[in-house]
Amino acid sequence: MEPLSLRPTPEIIADRVRSQIVSGKFAPGERLQDAKISQQLGVSRGPVREALQRLVQEGLLINTLNRGVCVVDISVDDLLDVFTARRAVEREAFLIVFRSKPVALFEKLRKVIHSMEKAAANDDWRAAANHDIKFHTMIVEASGSPRLSRIYATLAAERHLCMSKEFAIFRDLNKLASMHQPLVEALEGDSQTTVVKVLDEHLRSGMELAQPGKQSLAS
C-alpha cells in the first residue's frame, strides 16, 4: 500500500485496508500487523489500531487469541447471510436508480457486462467476480446514499473473501455475464415491480448455488 497523501484518519485507513481485502491482497485468515501497516502508510500506529478495530466491528477482521487481528474466514452460512443483507441494501439502491434513470450509468453497466463476457471467454473467474462486484457497487453508489454505500462496501469485501473458497468459484462464467443484462433492462424500464422481481431472482439464484453441495456461485 502506498503512503497516504492526506492527513491520516482511522476512517481513511479503514477504507484503504478494506480495499486491500476486496482486491484479494489480504487473504482469509491472514494476520494484519499494525506496525507493518503504519509503516506502509506512513502514519503512527494509533490510528491504524483504531482503523483495524473499526473493521473488526464491521465483521471483516477478527481478534484471535495469540495471533492478534486477522481477516475473517467466510463460511457458507456467512455467505448466505451476506446475500440476505445485500437484498435489503440493493433493493433500496435499485429503486432509487430506477426513479432517477441515469442514462450514463446504464451505459457504464453495459461496459462492465462486456468485461464479464471477456473474462468468461478467457476463463478468468477472478476477473469475472471483480466485474460482478463492480457492477452492483456502481448501482449502490449511484443511489447517492453514503450510508448505503458504506454498508455495501463491507458486504462487497465479505463477498470477495468468498472468492477464495471452493464453494464460491464461478464455473459457468457465461451465465454470470448473461444474468446481469436483465438488471439493466429492468432499471431502464417503467415497472418498479419488475425491478424488485428481477433483482430478487438474481440474488436468489446466487443463494441457491451457494448451498452446500452445489457446484458454483453466481450473483
Side-chain angles (χ1 to χ4, degrees):
M1 294 185 288
E2 297 179 356
L4 296 173
S5 58
L6 301 176
R7 182 176 181 272
T9 66
E11 183 176 353
I12 294 173
I13 297 169
D15 287 344
R16 188 69 66 87
V17 174
R18 189 187 300 106
S19 70
Q20 298 295 293
I21 295 174
V22 171
S23 68
K25 292 183 179 179
F26 291 147
E30 181 175 347
R31 179 188 177 192
L32 301 188
Q33 302 179 42
D34 54 49
K36 183 177 180 180
I37 294 175
S38 65
Q39 183 179 20
Q40 290 175 330
L41 297 179
V43 299
S44 63
R45 295 172 66 176
V48 173
R49 291 195 190 100
E50 184 175 340
L52 296 182
Q53 288 308 308
R54 284 178 180 233
L55 297 178
V56 168
Q57 293 174 356
E58 290 181 13
L60 294 179
L61 303 178
I62 185 171
N63 282 312
T64 59
L65 185 63
N66 299 325
R67 292 198 65 206
V69 178
C70 299
V71 180
V72 297
D73 196 1
I74 300 293
S75 68
V76 172
D77 288 340
D78 292 325
L79 178 58
L80 295 177
D81 192 46
V82 167
F83 274 105
T84 299
R86 282 183 59 188
R87 178 185 288 117
V89 173
E90 291 194 50
R91 273 185 179 180
E92 186 61 30
F94 268 66
L95 289 177
I96 293 173
V97 171
F98 165 76
R99 298 184 190 108
S100 61
K101 290 288 188 295
V103 176
L105 172 66
F106 299 151
E107 291 303 314
K108 292 177 181 178
L109 292 175
R110 286 196 167 88
K111 290 180 180 178
V112 175
I113 294 174
H114 180 63
S115 295
M116 286 187 208
E117 293 170 344
K118 291 175 62 177
N122 295 325
D123 197 30
D124 188 344
W125 69 266
R126 186 173 293 278
N130 287 336
H131 292 311
D132 172 26
I133 293 174
K134 179 179 180 180
F135 179 96
H136 290 270
T137 299
M138 287 171 62
I139 294 174
V140 174
E141 291 181 346
S143 73
S145 169
R147 289 170 177 78
L148 287 179
S149 294
R150 282 202 301 268
I151 295 170
Y152 199 77
T154 298
L155 295 174
E158 290 181 308
R159 176 73 175 80
H160 192 93
L161 286 174
C162 297
M163 295 304 140
S164 63
K165 310 292 286 189
E166 179 64 20
F167 61 75
I169 294 177
F170 299 101
R171 300 191 191 280
D172 189 347
L173 297 183
N174 290 312
K175 181 179 180 181
L176 174 67
S178 65
M179 286 173 62
H180 287 76
Q181 185 60 41
L183 293 172
V184 180
E185 294 173 355
L187 288 171
E188 290 179 315
D190 55 9
S191 172
Q192 179 172 302
T193 301
T194 298
V195 172
V196 174
K197 179 181 178 180
V198 172
L199 176 62
D200 282 351
E201 290 176 350
H202 181 86
L203 295 177
R204 186 182 303 114
S205 66
M207 292 180 70
E208 290 173 352
L209 289 170
Q211 297 285 350
K214 298 296 183 179
Q215 293 297 311
S216 61
L217 169 66
S219 67

